[in-house]
Amino acid sequence: MPAVKSAPPGPRGTSSSPRAAAHVPVQLPGIVAFYIAFLVNVLAALLAPIQDCDETFNYWEPTHYLRHGFGLQTWEYSPEYAIRSWFYVGLHAIVTGIGTFMPSVTNKIDEFYFLRIVLATTCAACQARLYVTVSRVLNPRVGIMFLMAMVLSPGMFHASVAYLPSSFAMYAAMLGMASFMEWRGGLKTAQGIMWFGVAGIVGWPFAVALSLPYLLEELVLATVSQSSLWTAARRWLDGGLRCVIVLGLQFVVDFFFYRSPELVPFNIVKYNIFSGSSKGPNIFGTEPWHFYMRNLLLNFNVWFVLALLALPLIALRSSSSAVSAQSRLRGVVFVSPFYLWLSIFSLQAHKEERFMYPAYPALALNAAISLHMVLSAFGSADAARFVGRIPPNVKLAVVAGFGLVAIAAGVLRTVGIVTGYSAPFHVHRALQRGHLVAMDDVNVCYGKEWYRFPSSFFLPRNHRAKFVKSAFDGLLPGEFREAETGFGSWATWLVPSGMNDENREDVGKYVRRQLLWIFIPSFIH
């Protein structure tokens, strides 16, 4: 297990001798890490397809409505249910609006990509922040391996720029992890609680579960040192008050849009956990317990295998070397969030790839810690051990081979996703050049592959998305009451017709085929 630096190094931990300097690992500057992550994330912003229709209909469409006065509305935004927050959408609508002041943003598609690039930049900043903390607290080599796992994985390629609360929760979780891990200058519990609170309140409520190992660690340490119990309580109270302020801001914004008092995070938890058998997430499909195992193996390949090995390797290393109890505790705490998250969601019947997004940084951290321990053992020069007798050239070939496999597996899957699922973007860009662009009230209709619609940002101003009857027999999105563009002109508090929380079909969502202008039954790229 890499040595955990629980406090700033004192005189005993410092040395200016050439021998000590030779053993200092090379550390990549934080700004370089940011630029690496930024480059990869911007490529994702420009190339990655939308992989989840929830991103389109629950976030891009409401944002389009706030910006342009029309868009598709899901049942989650009906004031009857209110399980989506306008606070989260409003923040992104403001950012998109700011983008229109840039000379390069001249149409709605430009707005779409501008917001994506802002998300890419935000994610890169959070990745760099956690990278710096991991390098300082654990080991610079662990930090570099963490960065490699983040930028080389197909999972992060699409999660980094996905306009989803789970991606937002992932950003905030990285800042929360960095706060809890960093003890230099004193414990930053309040800051960590705040960031995980932001992840749960503004993003996805369940993301707060990732903070439990860190909170338990502080509770254990405060209990052992009874004199710090009150100090720990004050830090918890400080963090809690910051979360209450964020929740209050969200409440005010949602009250403005729904015209009723709503605690959206509570509504989300209530629907997903306390609904009856005819409601709740399971009506949208269930998967076996090993779904995430297969999914993460695809999205993180060898990094996922290493992430699973982190805790056993820490236990093995701790039993065979002199490691302080505090370092052992910290090591277990650092790798526990990923196991906790994977266990919780593997036990749920309804599973979706985006549910794993908040835990991606924890997965990368586990993988980096595992790889560091494996390489440390593999690089041993002790002739009494088998690995010590392996020629250095052979060791280098093995390590290089591992790196090439990780890079190739990640790049090939990423390229496959981009080339195989980008047809909706290409098809809708063609609409911008069609002869119907100048006509009024053009209906663009979708059939069985309605879920691939990339959002109204890809439709000209006078085009509207419509649906025709197909094999799908669930509930399709309706339409927001059209509004004039401008602040306060939205009719988001009106209860739309034909909505329900049981995925029951509403025939009112379809248009007659005689009203078709453009029909897109499926997407083949």
Side-chain angles (χ1 to χ4, degrees):
M1 187 180 94
V4 179
K5 304 165 191 171
S6 58
R12 292 180 59 190
T14 352
S15 175
S16 56
S17 69
R19 183 179 178 184
H23 287 82
V24 175
V26 176
Q27 182 168 355
L28 200 66
I31 189 64
V32 175
F34 168 77
Y35 285 135
I36 292 172
F38 175 75
L39 176 62
V40 174
N41 293 351
V42 168
L43 285 175
L46 298 176
L47 300 175
I50 293 177
Q51 295 195 183
D52 193 320
C53 66
D54 198 60
E55 179 179 352
T56 293
F57 296 110
N58 271 322
Y59 304 102
W60 283 112
E61 284 300 293
T63 303
H64 187 276
Y65 178 65
L66 295 184
R67 289 283 306 121
H68 300 284
F70 69 95
L72 298 174
Q73 180 182 20
T74 62
W75 66 270
E76 289 96 332
Y77 282 92
S78 171
E80 288 183 288
Y81 310 109
I83 64 170
R84 294 291 182 264
S85 174
W86 284 103
F87 180 68
Y88 173 73
V89 171
L91 290 175
H92 292 75
I94 291 171
V95 172
T96 308
I98 293 172
T100 59
F101 292 100
M102 300 183 64
S104 58
V105 179
T106 60
N107 55 51
K108 294 196 297 181
I109 293 181
D110 291 342
E111 292 180 34
F112 176 92
Y113 284 106
F114 174 79
L115 180 55
R116 269 196 160 191
I117 290 173
V118 171
L119 295 176
T121 307
T122 303
C123 185
C126 296
Q127 288 171 289
R129 172 72 178 91
L130 184 52
Y131 158 79
V132 169
T133 300
V134 170
S135 299
R136 187 159 49 216
V137 173
L138 293 175
N139 187 292
R141 283 176 294 195
V142 177
I144 291 175
M145 294 168 191
F146 166 79
L147 185 64
M148 289 175 60
M150 293 290 274
V151 301
L152 294 176
S153 64
M156 277 301 300
F157 186 79
H158 50 77
S160 62
V161 296
Y163 181 10
L164 287 167
S166 50
S167 281
F168 182 90
M170 179 184 71
Y171 304 160
M174 283 190 271
L175 300 178
M177 291 170 64
S179 299
F180 276 116
M181 292 176 69
E182 179 64 88
W183 282 5
R184 193 178 64 166
L187 298 182
K188 299 173 178 60
T189 306
Q191 191 176 4
I193 291 174
M194 179 194 71
W195 283 121
F196 277 111
V198 169
I201 296 167
V202 183
W204 200 32
F206 306 103
V208 297
L210 289 167
S211 67
L212 293 180
Y214 298 104
L215 296 174
L216 183 60
E217 176 192 32
E218 173 144 355
L219 184 62
V220 169
L221 294 177
T223 302
V224 172
S225 175
Q226 295 186 3
S227 60
S228 63
L229 274 173
W230 170 240
T231 305
R234 288 177 59 186
R235 288 193 293 265
W236 284 45
L237 181 61
D238 183 6
L241 288 175
R242 300 184 195 190
C243 294
V244 170
I245 292 172
V246 175
L247 183 62
L249 290 173
Q250 182 190 61
F251 177 85
V252 170
V253 173
D254 286 333
F255 182 85
F256 172 81
F257 282 98
Y258 285 122
R259 300 292 173 89
S260 64
E262 301 290 349
L263 284 175
V264 172
F266 172 76
N267 293 347
I268 294 173
V269 172
K270 182 176 69 173
Y271 175 79
N272 283 279
I273 297 180
F274 302 108
S275 296
S277 58
S278 63
K279 302 179 181 181
N282 290 355
I283 64 175
F284 297 101
T286 59
E287 299 289 344
W289 67 268
H290 49 78
F291 171 84
Y292 289 126
M293 297 288 185
R294 293 179 285 115
N295 180 265
L296 291 173
L297 192 58
L298 279 172
N299 282 324
F300 284 88
N301 49 77
V302 294
W303 301 108
F304 172 58
V305 177
L306 287 167
L308 291 178
L309 293 174
L311 191 57
L313 288 174
I314 286 177
L316 183 64
R317 187 72 175 269
S318 299
S319 63
S320 60
S321 61
V323 179
S324 69
Q326 183 171 314
S327 292
R328 191 180 298 116
L329 173 63
R330 294 225 81 194
V332 171
V333 167
F334 290 170
V335 302
S336 293
F338 174 66
Y339 292 108
L340 177 63
W341 190 267
L342 182 61
S343 300
I344 290 173
F345 284 91
S346 293
L347 293 174
Q348 308 306 310
H350 179 64
K351 299 177 177 66
E352 296 187 39
E353 182 175 313
R354 59 191 167 94
F355 293 172
M356 284 291 111
Y357 288 3
Y360 280 179
L363 183 157
L365 178 60
N366 281 30
I369 291 174
S370 289
L371 184 57
H372 175 78
M373 288 189 287
V374 169
L375 292 180
S376 296
F378 189 63
S380 172
D382 185 359
R385 302 172 61 186
F386 172 73
V387 293
R389 296 192 294 272
I390 299 176
N393 289 341
V394 175
K395 292 183 178 181
L396 179 61
V398 171
V399 173
F402 168 84
L404 290 175
V405 168
I407 293 172
V411 170
L412 289 175
R413 175 159 173 80
T414 299
V415 171
I417 290 172
V418 171
T419 57
Y421 295 92
S422 296
F425 287 168
H426 296 291
V427 169
H428 284 81
R429 284 194 186 96
L431 294 179
Q432 309 296 324
R433 303 185 297 271
H435 68 280
L436 297 175
V437 170
M439 299 182 64
D440 294 327
D441 301 324
V442 176
N443 291 337
V444 182
C445 298
Y446 302 85
K448 63 180 181 179
E449 293 195 10
W450 59 271
Y451 52 88
R452 298 193 190 278
F453 172 56
S455 86
S456 296
F457 280 96
F458 285 81
L459 297 180
R461 175 73 190 179
N462 56 339
H463 289 43
R464 300 292 187 273
K466 305 288 183 179
F467 301 106
V468 297
K469 177 61 181 172
S470 66
F472 179 74
D473 60 356
L475 181 66
L476 286 167
E479 297 179 25
F480 284 107
R481 181 74 61 89
E482 292 205 13
E484 299 294 330
T485 55
F487 183 80
S489 61
W490 314 289
T492 50
W493 63 90
L494 298 177
V495 177
S497 61
M499 295 295 189
N500 64 81
D501 60 351
E502 299 178 350
N503 200 29
R504 286 184 282 104
E505 183 180 31
D506 172 39
V507 296
K509 301 292 190 298
Y510 304 118
V511 296
R512 299 193 310 276
R513 290 183 180 264
Q514 292 88 336
L515 298 178
L516 300 185
W517 277 100
I518 302 173
F519 181 41
I520 305 178
S522 63
F523 296 92
I524 302 176
H525 177 43

